[in-house]
Amino acid sequence: MISANLSAIFYLISGVLFILALRGLSSPETSRQGNFFGILGMIIAITVTFLSIGNFSSGFIYVLIFLLIGGLIGAFIAYKIPMTAMPELVAGFHSLVGLAAVFVAISAFLNPVAFNLGTPGNIKLGSLIEMSIGAAVGAITFSGSIIAFLKLQGIMSGSPITFKGQHPLNALILISIIILTYLLCSTQSSNLFWILLAVSFLIGFLLIIPIGGADMPVVISMLNSYSGWAAAGIGFTLENTALIITGALVGSSGAILSYIMCKGMNRSFFNVILGGFGATEQSASSANKEQKPVKSGNAEDAAFLMKNASSVIIVPGYGMAVAQAQHALREMVDTLKKNNIKVSYAIHPVAGRMPGHMNVLLAEANVPYDEVFELEEINNDFANADVAFVIGANDVTNPVAKTDPQSPIYGMPVLDVEKCKSVLFVKRSLSPGYAGIDNDLFYKDNTLMLFADAKKMTEEITKNLD
Protein backbone atom coordinates (compact mmCIF):
# COMPACT_ATOMS: atom_id res chain seq x y z
CA MET A 1 0.00 0.00 0.00
CA ILE A 2 1.23 3.49 -0.87
CA SER A 3 0.95 6.29 1.73
CA ALA A 4 -1.55 9.12 1.37
CA ASN A 5 1.19 11.74 1.10
CA LEU A 6 2.99 9.81 -1.61
CA SER A 7 -0.30 9.29 -3.45
CA ALA A 8 -0.94 13.03 -3.39
CA ILE A 9 2.51 13.71 -4.86
CA PHE A 10 2.02 11.24 -7.71
CA TYR A 11 -1.49 12.57 -8.39
CA LEU A 12 0.03 16.05 -8.58
CA ILE A 13 2.61 14.78 -11.07
CA SER A 14 -0.14 13.21 -13.19
CA GLY A 15 -2.06 16.51 -13.06
CA VAL A 16 0.99 18.40 -14.33
CA LEU A 17 1.35 15.85 -17.13
CA PHE A 18 -2.30 16.37 -18.08
CA ILE A 19 -1.71 20.12 -18.28
CA LEU A 20 1.34 19.52 -20.49
CA ALA A 21 -0.81 17.20 -22.61
CA LEU A 22 -3.38 19.93 -23.22
CA ARG A 23 -0.58 22.35 -24.04
CA GLY A 24 0.90 19.91 -26.53
CA LEU A 25 -2.42 19.12 -28.18
CA SER A 26 -2.99 22.81 -28.90
CA SER A 27 -0.67 22.58 -31.93
CA PRO A 28 -0.20 19.90 -34.63
CA GLU A 29 3.56 20.24 -34.23
CA THR A 30 3.50 19.18 -30.57
CA SER A 31 0.41 16.93 -30.60
CA ARG A 32 2.39 13.66 -30.48
CA GLN A 33 4.28 14.88 -27.44
CA GLY A 34 1.00 15.99 -25.87
CA ASN A 35 -0.48 12.53 -26.40
CA PHE A 36 2.56 10.96 -24.74
CA PHE A 37 2.22 13.22 -21.67
CA GLY A 38 -1.49 12.38 -21.41
CA ILE A 39 -0.90 8.64 -21.62
CA LEU A 40 1.92 8.79 -19.06
CA GLY A 41 -0.19 10.87 -16.67
CA MET A 42 -3.10 8.41 -16.91
CA ILE A 43 -0.82 5.39 -16.33
CA ILE A 44 0.55 7.04 -13.18
CA ALA A 45 -2.94 7.97 -11.93
CA ILE A 46 -4.35 4.46 -12.46
CA THR A 47 -1.32 2.77 -10.91
CA VAL A 48 -1.37 4.99 -7.82
CA THR A 49 -5.12 4.42 -7.40
CA PHE A 50 -4.61 0.65 -7.33
CA LEU A 51 -1.63 0.88 -4.97
CA SER A 52 -3.66 3.11 -2.62
CA ILE A 53 -6.09 0.29 -1.88
CA GLY A 54 -5.27 -1.13 1.52
CA ASN A 55 -6.75 -4.62 1.41
CA PHE A 56 -7.26 -6.32 -1.92
CA SER A 57 -10.60 -8.07 -1.70
CA SER A 58 -11.60 -11.10 -3.76
CA GLY A 59 -13.50 -8.76 -6.08
CA PHE A 60 -10.30 -6.93 -7.01
CA ILE A 61 -9.52 -9.52 -9.68
CA TYR A 62 -12.79 -8.62 -11.42
CA VAL A 63 -11.69 -4.99 -11.58
CA LEU A 64 -8.50 -6.03 -13.33
CA ILE A 65 -10.40 -8.30 -15.72
CA PHE A 66 -12.83 -5.56 -16.74
CA LEU A 67 -9.99 -3.06 -16.99
CA LEU A 68 -8.21 -5.40 -19.40
CA ILE A 69 -11.39 -6.01 -21.41
CA GLY A 70 -12.13 -2.30 -21.66
CA GLY A 71 -8.55 -1.51 -22.62
CA LEU A 72 -8.53 -4.13 -25.37
CA ILE A 73 -11.87 -2.89 -26.74
CA GLY A 74 -10.60 0.71 -26.72
CA ALA A 75 -7.34 -0.28 -28.44
CA PHE A 76 -9.22 -2.26 -31.09
CA ILE A 77 -11.62 0.62 -31.80
CA ALA A 78 -8.78 3.14 -31.99
CA TYR A 79 -6.91 0.89 -34.44
CA LYS A 80 -9.89 0.17 -36.71
CA ILE A 81 -11.79 3.47 -36.65
CA PRO A 82 -11.46 5.55 -39.84
CA MET A 83 -10.82 9.29 -39.54
CA THR A 84 -14.22 9.96 -41.08
CA ALA A 85 -15.90 8.37 -38.06
CA MET A 86 -13.83 10.22 -35.46
CA PRO A 87 -16.63 12.69 -34.53
CA GLU A 88 -19.02 9.81 -33.84
CA LEU A 89 -16.34 8.04 -31.82
CA VAL A 90 -15.72 11.12 -29.68
CA ALA A 91 -19.45 11.52 -29.03
CA GLY A 92 -19.71 7.84 -28.13
CA PHE A 93 -16.79 8.03 -25.69
CA HIS A 94 -18.27 11.14 -24.07
CA SER A 95 -21.43 9.16 -23.39
CA LEU A 96 -19.39 6.46 -21.63
CA VAL A 97 -17.69 9.04 -19.39
CA GLY A 98 -21.10 10.37 -18.39
CA LEU A 99 -22.47 6.89 -17.77
CA ALA A 100 -19.42 5.99 -15.65
CA ALA A 101 -20.08 9.04 -13.48
CA VAL A 102 -23.71 7.94 -13.06
CA PHE A 103 -22.70 4.39 -12.05
CA VAL A 104 -20.18 5.66 -9.50
CA ALA A 105 -22.81 7.98 -8.04
CA ILE A 106 -25.30 5.10 -7.79
CA SER A 107 -22.72 2.90 -6.06
CA ALA A 108 -21.81 5.67 -3.61
CA PHE A 109 -25.47 6.39 -2.82
CA LEU A 110 -26.43 2.76 -2.29
CA ASN A 111 -23.29 1.82 -0.33
CA PRO A 112 -21.80 5.00 1.17
CA VAL A 113 -19.92 2.99 3.82
CA ALA A 114 -17.59 1.58 1.15
CA PHE A 115 -16.65 5.13 0.13
CA ASN A 116 -16.35 6.51 3.69
CA LEU A 117 -19.29 8.84 3.03
CA GLY A 118 -21.45 7.81 5.98
CA THR A 119 -24.29 5.33 6.16
CA PRO A 120 -27.44 4.86 4.02
CA GLY A 121 -29.82 7.68 4.88
CA ASN A 122 -27.06 9.55 6.71
CA ILE A 123 -24.60 10.51 3.96
CA LYS A 124 -22.39 13.54 4.51
CA LEU A 125 -24.10 16.65 3.15
CA GLY A 126 -21.10 17.82 1.14
CA SER A 127 -20.63 14.39 -0.41
CA LEU A 128 -24.32 14.15 -1.26
CA ILE A 129 -24.24 17.53 -3.05
CA GLU A 130 -21.13 16.53 -5.03
CA MET A 131 -22.68 13.15 -5.81
CA SER A 132 -25.93 14.72 -7.02
CA ILE A 133 -24.15 17.22 -9.29
CA GLY A 134 -21.86 14.54 -10.74
CA ALA A 135 -24.78 12.18 -11.35
CA ALA A 136 -26.97 14.85 -12.96
CA VAL A 137 -24.23 16.19 -15.26
CA GLY A 138 -23.16 12.64 -16.09
CA ALA A 139 -26.72 11.67 -17.05
CA ILE A 140 -27.07 14.79 -19.21
CA THR A 141 -23.74 14.00 -20.88
CA PHE A 142 -24.74 10.41 -21.56
CA SER A 143 -28.13 11.01 -23.16
CA GLY A 144 -26.95 14.16 -24.99
CA SER A 145 -23.92 12.34 -26.41
CA ILE A 146 -26.09 9.43 -27.57
CA ILE A 147 -28.26 11.85 -29.58
CA ALA A 148 -25.14 13.53 -31.00
CA PHE A 149 -23.78 10.11 -32.00
CA LEU A 150 -27.04 9.14 -33.71
CA LYS A 151 -27.12 12.42 -35.65
CA LEU A 152 -23.48 12.18 -36.72
CA GLN A 153 -23.88 8.52 -37.72
CA GLY A 154 -26.92 9.36 -39.83
CA ILE A 155 -29.18 7.02 -37.83
CA MET A 156 -31.13 10.08 -36.70
CA SER A 157 -31.87 13.11 -38.86
CA GLY A 158 -29.30 15.90 -38.55
CA SER A 159 -32.07 18.48 -38.92
CA PRO A 160 -33.23 20.36 -35.81
CA ILE A 161 -36.15 18.70 -34.03
CA THR A 162 -38.34 21.29 -32.37
CA PHE A 163 -41.81 21.51 -30.88
CA LYS A 164 -43.98 24.19 -29.34
CA GLY A 165 -43.05 25.11 -25.78
CA GLN A 166 -39.68 23.39 -26.00
CA HIS A 167 -37.66 26.14 -24.30
CA PRO A 168 -40.09 26.64 -21.37
CA LEU A 169 -40.12 22.87 -20.87
CA ASN A 170 -36.31 22.75 -20.79
CA ALA A 171 -36.22 25.60 -18.30
CA LEU A 172 -38.82 23.87 -16.12
CA ILE A 173 -36.84 20.61 -16.11
CA LEU A 174 -33.58 22.40 -15.25
CA ILE A 175 -35.32 24.14 -12.32
CA SER A 176 -36.78 20.81 -11.21
CA ILE A 177 -33.24 19.32 -11.13
CA ILE A 178 -32.17 22.06 -8.71
CA ILE A 179 -35.25 21.48 -6.54
CA LEU A 180 -34.78 17.70 -6.58
CA THR A 181 -31.14 18.09 -5.57
CA TYR A 182 -32.18 20.27 -2.61
CA LEU A 183 -34.90 17.83 -1.51
CA LEU A 184 -32.53 14.87 -1.93
CA CYS A 185 -29.97 16.51 0.33
CA SER A 186 -32.68 17.25 2.88
CA THR A 187 -34.39 13.85 2.96
CA GLN A 188 -31.84 11.47 1.37
CA SER A 189 -34.76 9.64 -0.18
CA SER A 190 -33.78 6.94 -2.66
CA ASN A 191 -36.92 7.67 -4.71
CA LEU A 192 -35.80 11.28 -5.19
CA PHE A 193 -32.35 10.08 -6.25
CA TRP A 194 -33.78 7.89 -9.02
CA ILE A 195 -36.15 10.66 -10.13
CA LEU A 196 -33.19 13.06 -10.32
CA LEU A 197 -31.34 10.66 -12.58
CA ALA A 198 -34.38 10.10 -14.83
CA VAL A 199 -35.03 13.83 -15.22
CA SER A 200 -31.34 14.46 -15.97
CA PHE A 201 -31.35 11.79 -18.70
CA LEU A 202 -34.44 13.46 -20.18
CA ILE A 203 -33.00 16.99 -20.29
CA GLY A 204 -29.84 15.71 -21.99
CA PHE A 205 -32.02 14.32 -24.76
CA LEU A 206 -34.08 17.50 -25.06
CA LEU A 207 -31.05 19.80 -25.12
CA ILE A 208 -29.45 18.15 -28.18
CA ILE A 209 -32.39 17.29 -30.48
CA PRO A 210 -33.05 20.95 -31.49
CA ILE A 211 -29.43 21.43 -32.60
CA GLY A 212 -28.84 21.25 -36.35
CA GLY A 213 -26.03 19.53 -38.20
CA ALA A 214 -24.12 22.73 -38.96
CA ASP A 215 -23.60 23.30 -35.25
CA MET A 216 -22.62 19.73 -34.34
CA PRO A 217 -18.87 20.52 -33.96
CA VAL A 218 -19.79 22.95 -31.17
CA VAL A 219 -22.00 20.32 -29.56
CA ILE A 220 -19.11 17.85 -29.45
CA SER A 221 -16.84 20.30 -27.62
CA MET A 222 -19.71 21.25 -25.29
CA LEU A 223 -20.37 17.60 -24.39
CA ASN A 224 -16.64 17.19 -23.85
CA SER A 225 -16.87 19.94 -21.26
CA TYR A 226 -19.89 18.30 -19.61
CA SER A 227 -18.07 14.98 -19.32
CA GLY A 228 -15.18 16.72 -17.57
CA TRP A 229 -17.41 18.41 -15.00
CA ALA A 230 -19.21 15.10 -14.36
CA ALA A 231 -15.86 13.44 -13.68
CA ALA A 232 -14.78 16.30 -11.40
CA GLY A 233 -18.01 16.08 -9.40
CA ILE A 234 -17.55 12.36 -8.84
CA GLY A 235 -13.87 13.01 -8.03
CA PHE A 236 -14.95 15.14 -5.07
CA THR A 237 -17.29 12.36 -3.96
CA LEU A 238 -14.49 9.80 -4.07
CA GLU A 239 -11.96 12.30 -2.68
CA ASN A 240 -9.72 11.40 -5.62
CA THR A 241 -7.33 14.27 -6.47
CA ALA A 242 -6.41 12.93 -9.91
CA LEU A 243 -10.05 12.64 -10.96
CA ILE A 244 -10.79 16.16 -9.73
CA ILE A 245 -7.81 17.63 -11.61
CA THR A 246 -8.51 15.68 -14.80
CA GLY A 247 -12.21 16.50 -14.77
CA ALA A 248 -11.58 20.18 -14.13
CA LEU A 249 -9.03 20.35 -16.97
CA VAL A 250 -11.35 18.61 -19.43
CA GLY A 251 -14.34 20.65 -18.32
CA SER A 252 -12.63 24.04 -18.49
CA SER A 253 -10.77 23.34 -21.74
CA GLY A 254 -13.98 22.07 -23.36
CA ALA A 255 -15.86 25.16 -22.20
CA ILE A 256 -13.14 27.46 -23.55
CA LEU A 257 -13.10 25.61 -26.89
CA SER A 258 -16.91 25.83 -27.09
CA TYR A 259 -16.72 29.58 -26.48
CA ILE A 260 -14.03 30.05 -29.14
CA MET A 261 -16.02 28.02 -31.66
CA CYS A 262 -19.23 29.88 -30.86
CA LYS A 263 -17.41 33.14 -31.45
CA GLY A 264 -16.01 31.78 -34.73
CA MET A 265 -19.50 30.71 -35.83
CA ASN A 266 -21.26 33.82 -34.54
CA ARG A 267 -23.35 31.78 -32.09
CA SER A 268 -24.45 32.62 -28.58
CA PHE A 269 -22.50 30.64 -25.99
CA PHE A 270 -25.49 30.55 -23.64
CA ASN A 271 -27.75 29.29 -26.42
CA VAL A 272 -25.33 26.42 -26.96
CA ILE A 273 -25.42 25.49 -23.28
CA LEU A 274 -29.22 25.61 -23.26
CA GLY A 275 -29.57 23.76 -26.58
CA GLY A 276 -31.57 26.54 -28.17
CA PHE A 277 -29.85 27.26 -31.46
CA GLY A 278 -29.65 25.73 -34.92
CA ALA A 279 -33.38 25.49 -35.44
CA THR A 280 -33.82 28.00 -38.26
CA GLU A 281 -35.66 26.71 -41.28
CA GLN A 282 -34.01 26.74 -44.67
CA SER A 283 -35.03 29.73 -46.77
CA ALA A 284 -37.04 29.24 -49.91
CA SER A 285 -34.45 31.01 -52.01
CA SER A 286 -31.80 28.56 -50.86
CA ALA A 287 -34.03 25.57 -51.46
CA ASN A 288 -34.61 26.49 -55.09
CA LYS A 289 -31.02 27.21 -56.03
CA GLU A 290 -30.43 23.70 -57.35
CA GLN A 291 -32.51 24.57 -60.42
CA LYS A 292 -29.83 27.04 -61.56
CA PRO A 293 -27.30 25.95 -64.18
CA VAL A 294 -23.78 25.08 -63.14
CA LYS A 295 -20.51 24.81 -65.03
CA SER A 296 -18.86 21.43 -64.75
CA GLY A 297 -15.44 20.28 -65.90
CA ASN A 298 -12.96 17.44 -65.69
CA ALA A 299 -9.44 16.78 -64.46
CA GLU A 300 -7.87 18.22 -67.64
CA ASP A 301 -9.74 21.51 -67.19
CA ALA A 302 -8.66 21.73 -63.55
CA ALA A 303 -5.03 20.92 -64.38
CA PHE A 304 -4.99 23.59 -67.11
CA LEU A 305 -6.22 26.28 -64.68
CA MET A 306 -3.71 25.26 -62.04
CA LYS A 307 -0.77 25.15 -64.47
CA ASN A 308 -1.46 28.74 -65.43
CA ALA A 309 -1.87 29.95 -61.84
CA SER A 310 0.73 31.60 -59.69
CA SER A 311 -1.05 30.85 -56.40
CA VAL A 312 -3.48 28.13 -55.32
CA ILE A 313 -5.39 27.87 -52.04
CA ILE A 314 -6.57 24.41 -50.97
CA VAL A 315 -9.80 24.27 -48.92
CA PRO A 316 -10.27 20.76 -47.43
CA GLY A 317 -13.52 19.56 -45.91
CA TYR A 318 -15.43 16.49 -44.82
CA GLY A 319 -15.60 15.17 -48.39
CA MET A 320 -11.82 14.84 -48.35
CA ALA A 321 -12.07 12.80 -45.15
CA VAL A 322 -14.75 10.51 -46.60
CA ALA A 323 -12.65 9.81 -49.71
CA GLN A 324 -9.40 9.56 -47.70
CA ALA A 325 -7.91 11.93 -50.27
CA GLN A 326 -5.35 13.68 -48.07
CA HIS A 327 -2.38 11.71 -49.43
CA ALA A 328 -3.46 12.20 -53.05
CA LEU A 329 -3.89 15.89 -52.28
CA ARG A 330 -0.36 16.09 -50.91
CA GLU A 331 0.98 14.53 -54.12
CA MET A 332 -0.93 17.04 -56.24
CA VAL A 333 0.42 19.94 -54.19
CA ASP A 334 3.98 18.62 -54.49
CA THR A 335 3.56 18.60 -58.27
CA LEU A 336 2.25 22.17 -58.23
CA LYS A 337 5.19 23.34 -56.13
CA LYS A 338 7.62 21.77 -58.63
CA ASN A 339 6.09 24.15 -61.19
CA ASN A 340 6.83 27.12 -58.87
CA ILE A 341 3.19 27.58 -57.93
CA LYS A 342 2.55 28.93 -54.44
CA VAL A 343 0.22 26.64 -52.50
CA SER A 344 -1.40 27.12 -49.09
CA TYR A 345 -4.19 25.43 -47.14
CA ALA A 346 -7.20 27.27 -45.66
CA ILE A 347 -8.79 25.61 -42.62
CA HIS A 348 -12.14 26.68 -41.22
CA PRO A 349 -12.51 26.18 -37.42
CA VAL A 350 -15.40 23.74 -37.93
CA ALA A 351 -14.37 22.10 -41.21
CA GLY A 352 -15.38 18.46 -40.96
CA ARG A 353 -17.56 17.53 -38.03
CA MET A 354 -15.32 18.22 -35.09
CA PRO A 355 -12.61 20.74 -34.13
CA GLY A 356 -9.21 19.98 -35.67
CA HIS A 357 -10.54 17.28 -38.02
CA MET A 358 -8.81 18.69 -41.12
CA ASN A 359 -5.59 19.51 -39.27
CA VAL A 360 -5.22 15.88 -38.21
CA LEU A 361 -5.83 14.58 -41.74
CA LEU A 362 -3.28 16.96 -43.26
CA ALA A 363 -0.75 16.09 -40.57
CA GLU A 364 -1.31 12.42 -41.39
CA ALA A 365 -0.29 13.22 -45.00
CA ASN A 366 2.82 15.08 -43.74
CA VAL A 367 1.65 18.45 -45.00
CA PRO A 368 4.10 21.11 -43.69
CA TYR A 369 2.56 23.04 -40.79
CA ASP A 370 3.72 26.39 -42.18
CA GLU A 371 1.49 25.90 -45.24
CA VAL A 372 -1.69 25.48 -43.17
CA PHE A 373 -3.58 28.64 -42.16
CA GLU A 374 -6.70 29.30 -40.12
CA LEU A 375 -9.62 31.36 -41.43
CA GLU A 376 -8.51 34.66 -39.87
CA GLU A 377 -4.99 34.31 -41.27
CA ILE A 378 -5.86 33.52 -44.88
CA ASN A 379 -9.33 34.86 -45.64
CA ASN A 380 -8.00 38.11 -47.12
CA ASP A 381 -5.73 36.15 -49.49
CA PHE A 382 -8.56 34.66 -51.54
CA ALA A 383 -9.11 37.93 -53.42
CA ASN A 384 -5.50 37.80 -54.69
CA ALA A 385 -5.34 34.05 -55.41
CA ASP A 386 -5.71 32.61 -58.90
CA VAL A 387 -7.34 29.30 -57.97
CA ALA A 388 -9.20 27.96 -54.96
CA PHE A 389 -9.35 24.16 -54.88
CA VAL A 390 -12.28 23.17 -52.66
CA ILE A 391 -12.15 19.46 -51.88
CA GLY A 392 -15.27 18.41 -50.05
CA ALA A 393 -15.83 21.56 -47.98
CA ASN A 394 -19.42 22.75 -48.24
CA ASP A 395 -21.09 24.78 -45.49
CA VAL A 396 -17.85 26.56 -44.52
CA THR A 397 -17.56 28.04 -48.04
CA ASN A 398 -21.23 28.97 -48.51
CA PRO A 399 -21.65 32.72 -49.25
CA VAL A 400 -25.28 32.51 -48.10
CA ALA A 401 -23.94 32.83 -44.55
CA LYS A 402 -23.27 36.48 -45.39
CA THR A 403 -26.41 37.25 -47.41
CA ASP A 404 -29.47 35.31 -46.21
CA PRO A 405 -30.75 36.15 -42.70
CA GLN A 406 -33.12 33.16 -42.89
CA SER A 407 -30.30 30.67 -43.39
CA PRO A 408 -29.34 28.35 -40.49
CA ILE A 409 -25.70 29.37 -40.98
CA TYR A 410 -26.32 33.13 -41.30
CA GLY A 411 -23.67 35.12 -39.45
CA MET A 412 -21.18 32.25 -39.36
CA PRO A 413 -17.79 33.43 -40.67
CA VAL A 414 -17.01 31.49 -43.85
CA LEU A 415 -14.01 31.24 -46.14
CA ASP A 416 -14.25 33.89 -48.88
CA VAL A 417 -13.63 31.35 -51.63
CA GLU A 418 -15.89 33.11 -54.13
CA LYS A 419 -13.42 36.03 -54.30
CA CYS A 420 -10.81 33.89 -56.10
CA LYS A 421 -10.36 34.32 -59.85
CA SER A 422 -11.29 30.66 -60.36
CA VAL A 423 -12.87 28.12 -58.01
CA LEU A 424 -12.52 24.38 -58.55
CA PHE A 425 -15.11 22.58 -56.43
CA VAL A 426 -14.70 18.79 -56.04
CA LYS A 427 -17.97 17.16 -55.04
CA ARG A 428 -19.95 14.07 -55.96
CA SER A 429 -23.17 15.99 -56.64
CA LEU A 430 -25.05 19.21 -55.93
CA SER A 431 -26.47 17.77 -52.72
CA PRO A 432 -26.49 20.16 -49.74
CA GLY A 433 -23.95 20.02 -46.94
CA TYR A 434 -24.47 18.76 -43.40
CA ALA A 435 -26.42 21.90 -42.54
CA GLY A 436 -29.03 20.81 -45.09
CA ILE A 437 -28.82 23.94 -47.27
CA ASP A 438 -27.71 24.56 -50.84
CA ASN A 439 -24.37 26.23 -51.51
CA ASP A 440 -24.48 29.46 -53.54
CA LEU A 441 -20.86 28.91 -54.51
CA PHE A 442 -21.90 26.10 -56.90
CA TYR A 443 -23.59 28.61 -59.18
CA LYS A 444 -21.02 31.41 -59.29
CA ASP A 445 -19.64 32.35 -62.72
CA ASN A 446 -16.07 31.68 -61.59
CA THR A 447 -16.86 28.20 -60.18
CA LEU A 448 -16.11 24.99 -62.07
CA MET A 449 -17.72 21.92 -60.51
CA LEU A 450 -15.71 18.69 -60.63
CA PHE A 451 -18.25 15.92 -60.01
CA ALA A 452 -16.30 12.88 -58.83
CA ASP A 453 -14.85 11.07 -55.86
CA ALA A 454 -12.38 13.46 -54.24
CA LYS A 455 -9.48 11.02 -54.24
CA LYS A 456 -9.95 9.86 -57.84
CA MET A 457 -10.37 13.41 -59.14
CA THR A 458 -7.26 14.61 -57.29
CA GLU A 459 -5.22 11.72 -58.68
CA GLU A 460 -6.44 12.46 -62.21
CA ILE A 461 -5.52 16.13 -61.87
CA THR A 462 -2.04 15.15 -60.71
CA LYS A 463 -1.56 12.96 -63.79
CA ASN A 464 -2.55 15.85 -66.05
CA LEU A 465 -0.17 18.23 -64.25
CA ASP A 466 2.88 16.10 -65.15
Side-chain angles (χ1 to χ4, degrees), residues 53 136 138 218 345 351 406:
I53 300 174
V218 186
Y345 297 80
Q406 301 303 315

Side-chain angles (χ1 to χ4, degrees), residues 51-111:
L51 294 178
S52 299
I53 300 174
N55 298 315
F56 294 105
S57 64
S58 58
F60 185 74
I61 187 65
Y62 294 107
V63 175
L64 292 177
I65 291 174
F66 285 113
L67 182 65
L68 179 62
I69 293 173
L72 290 174
I73 292 174
F76 177 77
I77 292 174
Y79 178 75
K80 298 292 291 185
I81 196 76
M83 276 303 301
T84 50
M86 195 59 66
E88 296 95 312
L89 177 67
V90 172
F93 280 178
H94 286 166
S95 71
L96 296 179
V97 175
L99 190 60
V102 172
F103 282 155
V104 172
I106 292 174
S107 299
F109 184 81
L110 295 179
N111 189 13

Side-chain angles (χ1 to χ4, degrees), residues 45 122 151-152 158 209 251 274 291 297 307 337 344 352 362 371 398:
N122 190 30
K151 287 196 172 199
L152 289 165
I209 59 170
L274 298 175
Q291 300 174 3
K307 281 181 181 179
K337 289 194 287 188
S344 52
L362 295 178
E371 294 178 4
N398 197 340

Side-chain angles (χ1 to χ4, degrees), residues 390 392 394 425-433 442 449-452:
V390 184
N394 201 333
F425 206 122
V426 184
K427 202 173 186 295
R428 288 181 178 272
S429 67
L430 290 175
S431 60
F442 298 162
M449 298 297 298
L450 305 173
F451 295 113

Side-chain angles (χ1 to χ4, degrees), residues 19-35:
I19 293 173
L20 293 174
L22 288 175
R23 178 68 183 87
L25 292 171
S26 65
S27 170
E29 295 175 315
T30 57
S31 58
R32 290 182 183 274
Q33 187 181 61
N35 268 323

